[in-house]
Amino acid sequence: MPRSLPHGPGRDGPIAYGLRVKIALMDTGIGLLAAAAAVRRLRPDADLVLSSDPDSMPWGPRTAEDITRRALGVCEAAAAHQPDALIIACNTASVHALPAVRALLEPEIPVIGTVPAIKPAAAGGGPVAIWATPATTGSPYQRGLIRDFADGVRVTEVPCPGLADAVQWADEDAVDRAIAAAAALTPDDVRAVVLGCTHYELVAERIRAAVQRPGAEPLVL
């Protein structure tokens, strides 16, 4: 089937959507389902390619070098299906491996990263908490987002060890324990919680219930 990308005319021109588009998404595991659902809502006509490596979970405790190596492997598997674009539907992979993946695949395949939504959260004035994997929490990339987009807003970085893994394997008790531990590190007055891992979106309402304070304004996720 003919591909609709690259852009025309020229790389910066509008995408010609007259032909069917194929979009690939990668993540460690089922976290990519949340991103895929969002893409499906925006482009119900698109063919989706989902690439993951759940056997190597969790990525949160791994080194940046290990994360990059594993992310490249998952992205190469997706690229073999010749997508028109690739979405790294993983915050941990994006903050550590995005430059390496772009160097490997672009310009033939445009690569879109997924990073903690600090900019829109901080726009609400805060205070803000960022729930993320240990590898994302405190990373230079996340600290850069806070510096660039949350100046003057009180931000609390909350590591969530084990939460993505518990969601992946549907371990309900482990999910509850991980959420409770993260909620205990979250200030009572936060107005927004950034879900800095796509796995967390799959238990978003449980996170809301753990953090929402009685009588407070509805929490923004």
Side-chain angles (χ1 to χ4, degrees), residues 115-126 128 145 149-150 153 192-194 220-221:
V115 299
I118 294 167
K119 182 178 181 179
V128 172
L145 292 175
F149 300 115
V153 175
V193 174
V194 176
V220 177
L221 299 183

Side-chain angles (χ1 to χ4, degrees), residues 9-188:
R11 180 165 173 75
D12 296 327
I15 297 174
Y17 281 126
L19 302 176
R20 195 168 184 88
V21 67
K22 182 189 292 185
I23 301 171
L25 300 98
M26 69 76 68
D27 200 339
T28 51
I30 63 171
L32 58 72
L33 296 181
V39 173
R40 178 65 74 198
R41 287 192 295 271
L42 291 170
R43 289 300 307 267
D45 61 313
D47 294 322
L48 302 184
V49 175
L50 308 184
S51 180
S52 66
D53 183 16
D55 287 344
S56 71
M57 285 193 66
W59 283 11
R62 297 184 183 276
T63 65
E65 293 75 16
D66 193 14
I67 292 167
T68 298
R69 180 176 62 82
R70 294 174 185 276
L72 286 170
V74 178
C75 290
E76 283 185 298
H81 293 269
Q82 297 184 300
D84 295 305
L86 169 69
I87 298 172
I88 301 181
C90 174
N91 292 262
T92 298
S94 293
V95 301
H96 291 292
L98 185 56
V101 174
R102 283 179 167 160
L104 176 69
L105 300 180
E106 291 188 338
E108 287 78 11
I109 301 175
V111 177
I112 301 96
T114 303
V115 299
I118 294 167
K119 182 178 181 179
V128 172
I130 308 168
W131 287 30
T133 67
T136 300
T137 302
S139 66
Y141 197 110
Q142 179 161 295
R143 291 284 169 84
L145 292 175
I146 295 171
R147 180 189 65 247
D148 294 342
F149 300 115
D151 184 40
V153 175
R154 179 157 57 84
V155 176
T156 302
E157 296 179 279
V158 180
C160 304
L163 180 53
D165 213 27
V167 173
Q168 176 70 31
W169 305 116
D171 187 333
E172 300 291 338
D173 291 339
V175 169
D176 288 341
R177 289 194 300 271
I179 289 177
L185 298 175
T186 303
D188 290 345

